[in-house]
Amino acid sequence: MDRALRHRCTPRAVQGPAIRRSRVHGFTLLEMAIAVSIIGVLGMAVSSAYFGIADVRARARGQAEAEVARQSVRAFMLRNKRLPCPDLSTGGSGAREGLAGSCPAGAQIGWLPYESLGLAPPEPRHRMRYAVARAGTGADLVTPLTDVADGLDLDGVTRLRRTLMAAANQTPASNRPYLTGTGGPANPESCSGNVVANPAFAVIAPVNDRDDSGSQYPGFDGINQSMAAANTLCIAAPDRRMDATYDDVVVAESATALLGWLAAQTR
């Protein structure tokens, strides 16, 4: 067979370039598909990281605001020799103690009284709840004892100290604002009997509505939602971890801790 005939009959000479072009074209499409998939995965990761950072920043803001509130309540106590009464207005718009200038006996749960504490009221969704212990003989921290035996309590410190001591010596009970467990079999987060401690006061800051509870107080999560909506005395533990359904910030001060702080401030 002559050379011209062999050249015409050889498949490689005719089909080789087309095959090579097809292979190159197919590999490029595969590369593009892989690249698009990787970009999609990276986009999802970046999005998740962004929302995680946003959540952490929001909770850090809540922690800072709650700590300012704690220090403001302490300062109020030092000035007035008592703890402030909660703001009893419906949505926290009163910003002052009690309601219409009065603080009913036994009012233990309400809004943080911003103006009474010298703080600027925030927008409604960031308003904090406030709880104060007022139950028990001689342990009403909004209305301290007045019968001081020595008659020399000119500045009210002795009355306040005695009231704090009475509150500190009480047995934990559910008739005063109380902290429940952090969760788990050994320390369940339950408002049915698991009274871990009764703080002298507590401040509860909402962050985001992570449990989708809705209602009038959507910023509060878990058991704090019932505390805000129905003035129940059960409060989530300050060291409860943030999770998919909870990111509230709780700061609480015991009567014993306040006694020590008061002693340091009034030496």
Side-chain angles (χ1 to χ4, degrees):
M1 186 180 294
D2 59 21
R3 182 176 299 178
L5 182 60
R6 287 200 304 272
H7 180 74
R8 288 195 300 271
C9 295
T10 302
R12 182 176 300 176
V14 176
Q15 300 175 5
I19 292 174
R20 285 196 294 270
R21 283 195 300 270
S22 176
R23 286 175 180 172
V24 171
H25 182 65
F27 186 73
T28 301
L29 290 177
L30 179 62
E31 281 187 319
M32 291 179 63
I34 293 173
V36 169
S37 298
I38 292 174
I39 291 171
V41 171
L42 290 176
M44 290 175 63
V46 170
S47 177
S48 298
Y50 172 79
F51 286 119
I53 291 172
D55 289 340
V56 170
R57 285 178 176 172
R59 195 159 197 261
R61 185 208 70 235
Q63 289 171 330
E65 292 175 351
E67 183 58 31
V68 168
R70 183 217 297 263
Q71 298 300 335
S72 298
V73 171
R74 283 178 169 182
F76 181 100
M77 183 186 76
L78 189 60
R79 290 193 307 270
N80 298 281
K81 308 306 182 288
R82 65 177 179 86
L83 289 178
C85 176
D87 169 14
L88 302 176
S89 62
T90 301
S93 57
R96 298 181 181 179
E97 295 183 83
L99 187 63
S102 66
C103 185
Q108 300 187 92
I109 294 281
W111 297 99
L112 187 71
Y114 286 90
E115 288 186 11
S116 297
L117 296 176
L119 300 174
E123 59 182 295
R125 67 191 183 95
H126 289 151
R127 287 174 185 164
M128 292 178 269
R129 296 292 280 180
Y130 166 71
V132 58
R134 304 194 62 190
T137 304
D140 184 344
L141 296 175
V142 174
T143 309
L145 293 165
T146 57
D147 57 333
V148 178
D150 59 14
L152 300 177
D153 187 28
L154 299 180
D155 60 0
V157 172
T158 301
R159 294 192 297 274
L160 175 59
R161 186 178 294 117
R162 288 182 60 191
T163 307
L164 285 169
M165 290 178 65
N169 290 329
Q170 292 185 107
T171 302
S174 59
N175 66 334
R176 307 186 300 280
Y178 65 94
L179 305 173
T180 188
T182 57
N187 192 19
E189 185 184 40
S190 171
C191 295
S192 301
N194 190 24
V195 180
V196 173
N198 293 110
F201 76 88
V203 175
I204 304 92
V207 181
N208 295 311
D209 183 14
R210 296 184 71 84
D211 61 356
D212 295 323
S213 60
S215 82
Q216 187 176 356
Y217 308 101
F220 295 93
D221 296 323
I223 60 177
N224 291 335
Q225 212 280 335
S226 296
M227 175 274 305
N231 289 341
T232 59
L233 300 176
C234 182
I235 303 169
D239 53 348
R240 189 202 189 285
R241 294 184 177 181
M242 175 180 173
D243 58 32
T245 62
Y246 181 91
D247 65 357
D248 290 355
V249 175
V250 177
V251 297
E253 200 80 270
S254 69
T256 302
L258 283 180
L259 274 168
W261 184 84
L262 181 64
Q265 302 300 315
T266 57
R267 289 176 182 174

